[in-house]
Amino acid sequence: CTNEEKDQQEINEKLQEMNFHPVFLSEKQIENYYEGYSNSTIWPLCHYFYAYTLYKNCFWQSYQQVNRLFCEEICRLVRPGDKVWIQDYQLMLLPGMLRKIYPELCIGCGLCARNCPVDAIVGERKEPHFINTAKCIKCGACMEKCKFKAVSTR
């Protein structure tokens, strides 16, 4: 991770050649969002290590903030007919955020923790946002051969 604008520009240019679009995070965001909420709160829940689950409000605030940053970047890039793939529990809020803005967007999601009690984490919901197979939430079509815009934290 870098906070240097010149480095970020160079990284951005290299990644865009491969249709990747980075979301640069600060050290504090990485600490609270990734090491904090993702790895200290969600990961233990997804793997039935409840005694190791650590709850801190700053983790949750950062998790929401970073998911919004990804949402903003995707909204800047997405075009009609695009398909967006979201991978794993670090971005579990993102499908719902995108659905509010783009109700017709084809969103595919993967959750690696196959036995994860997702309802216990995100609460009751009207529409499934998290699936274990590579299928689009909107239309159910197979995402295996679809081209999608990739957004990366690296």
Side-chain angles (χ1 to χ4, degrees):
C1 188
T2 180
N3 290 329
E4 299 294 325
E5 191 172 324
K6 182 181 174 191
D7 292 339
Q8 288 181 357
Q9 183 176 352
E10 184 179 329
I11 291 167
N12 196 26
E13 289 170 6
K14 295 281 186 192
L15 289 175
Q16 282 189 11
E17 291 172 9
M18 300 178 286
N19 201 26
F20 285 89
H21 304 274
V23 174
F24 293 101
L25 304 178
S26 69
E27 290 296 326
K28 196 68 163 169
Q29 287 170 320
I30 292 169
E31 178 184 330
N32 288 328
Y33 149 78
Y34 188 75
E35 298 299 333
Y37 199 77
S38 295
N39 290 346
S40 298
T41 305
I42 298 175
W43 190 93
L45 288 174
C46 288
H47 296 87
Y48 299 97
F49 291 111
Y50 305 121
Y52 297 106
T53 304
L54 180 60
Y55 298 98
K56 286 188 177 181
N57 189 48
C58 63
F59 292 173
W60 171 239
Q61 296 303 318
S62 188
Y63 186 81
Q64 293 176 90
Q65 178 188 46
V66 170
N67 273 255
R68 276 193 299 274
L69 290 174
F70 274 84
C71 185
E72 290 167 7
E73 181 65 12
I74 291 169
C75 288
R76 191 178 68 74
L77 298 166
V78 75
R79 300 291 178 260
D82 282 351
K83 295 166 181 66
V84 177
W85 179 259
I86 300 164
Q87 181 63 39
D88 225 349
Y89 60 88
Q90 290 88 356
L91 296 170
M92 282 200 303
L93 300 178
L94 185 54
M97 291 174 172
L98 289 170
R99 182 64 67 226
K100 284 180 183 175
I101 299 166
Y102 295 103
E104 301 300 314
L105 183 63
C106 184
I107 304 170
C109 299
L111 185 59
C112 288
R114 300 262 186 236
N115 298 317
C116 180
V118 175
D119 289 331
I121 298 170
V122 298
E124 193 175 331
R125 61 190 189 279
K126 293 180 183 175
E127 175 185 342
H129 290 304
F130 312 102
I131 53 178
N132 289 330
T133 57
K135 293 198 182 280
C136 171
I137 290 171
K138 176 77 177 144
C139 65
C142 178
M143 297 286 283
E144 188 174 285
K145 296 180 183 175
C146 293
K147 293 187 178 183
F148 56 89
K149 297 193 187 256
V151 181
S152 173
T153 57
R154 303 283 180 220

